[in-house]
């Protein structure tokens, strides 16, 4: 196998999760090598990654002589390898999907900065603050609007890179129990996403691991 994805710790690597999902949903064959990004082994492991990938981070996809780093680049590459199956054929729908994808990749305007992906697996999760609830509702309203315009069942009508990019966000938000009852399409969409076999596979492995805390 000449195509290798350097992925990350299952319950701590949301960006690797996105790249892995895109490759799996695009039905791209690849070998996965999981890089433990927990402290203290994180530092030596990522120093090794930096010997062939400038950012020194995961995910990284090595395809023969080509090195594709950054989750968004890998997701776009997976779509290209699949013949474009993870972007809608309609121009306007594709632009919407790319807007949502870019917003997620840029950090959702700082939404829920305290609610890390790792915290979704903590047994002692804190309840959301009022500000965090408001932020969760704002993103749910964005999902709701996209689903209304596309007609569902996905953000762009068909399953796309945007849906896959939001999976870790859905997981970390829902783990903290926000009230999203005003956004029924978003709740159904989130449930549909979490039932995808690839998502279930990653999460089954993530839940089996010891929780990762900031000091760990």
């Amino acid at each position: 196998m000449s195509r290798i994805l350097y992925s990350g710790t299952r319950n701590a690597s949301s960006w690797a999760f996105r790249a892995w999902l895109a490759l799996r949903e695009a039905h791209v064959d690849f070998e996965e090598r999981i890089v433990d990004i927990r402290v203290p082994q994180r530092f030596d492991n990522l120093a090794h990654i930096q010997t062939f990938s400038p950012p020194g981070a995961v995910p990284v996809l090595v395809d023969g002589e080509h090195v594709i780093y950054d989750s968004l680049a890998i997701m776009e590459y997976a779509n290209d390898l699949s013949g474009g199956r993870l972007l809608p054929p309609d121009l306007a729908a594709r632009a919407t999907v790319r807007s949502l994808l870019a917003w997620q990749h840029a950090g959702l305007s700082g939404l829920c900065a305290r609610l890390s992906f790792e915290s979704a697996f903590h047994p002692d999760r804190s309840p959301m603050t009022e500000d965090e609830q408001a932020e969760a509702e704002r993103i749910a309203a964005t999902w709701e609007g996209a689903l209304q315009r596309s007609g569902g069942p996905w953000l762009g009508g068909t399953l796309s890179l945007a849906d896959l990019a939001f999976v870790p966000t859905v997981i970390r938000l829902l783990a903290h129990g926000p009230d999203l009852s005003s956004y029924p399409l978003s709740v159904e969409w989130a449930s549909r996403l979490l039932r995808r076999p690839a998502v279930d596979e990653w999460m089954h492995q993530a839940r089996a691991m010891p929780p990762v805390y900031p000091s760990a």
Side-chain angles (χ1 to χ4, degrees), residues 147-163:
L147 291 163
Q148 289 171 347
R149 288 187 295 273
S150 74
W154 306 107
L155 295 172
T158 57
L159 183 73
S160 73
L161 296 178
D163 300 289

Side-chain angles (χ1 to χ4, degrees), residues 129-147:
T129 65
E130 289 185 10
D131 285 346
E132 288 162 352
Q133 172 67 35
E135 291 171 345
E137 290 192 49
R138 183 158 72 95
I139 189 171
T142 302
W143 292 334
E144 196 83 3
L147 291 163

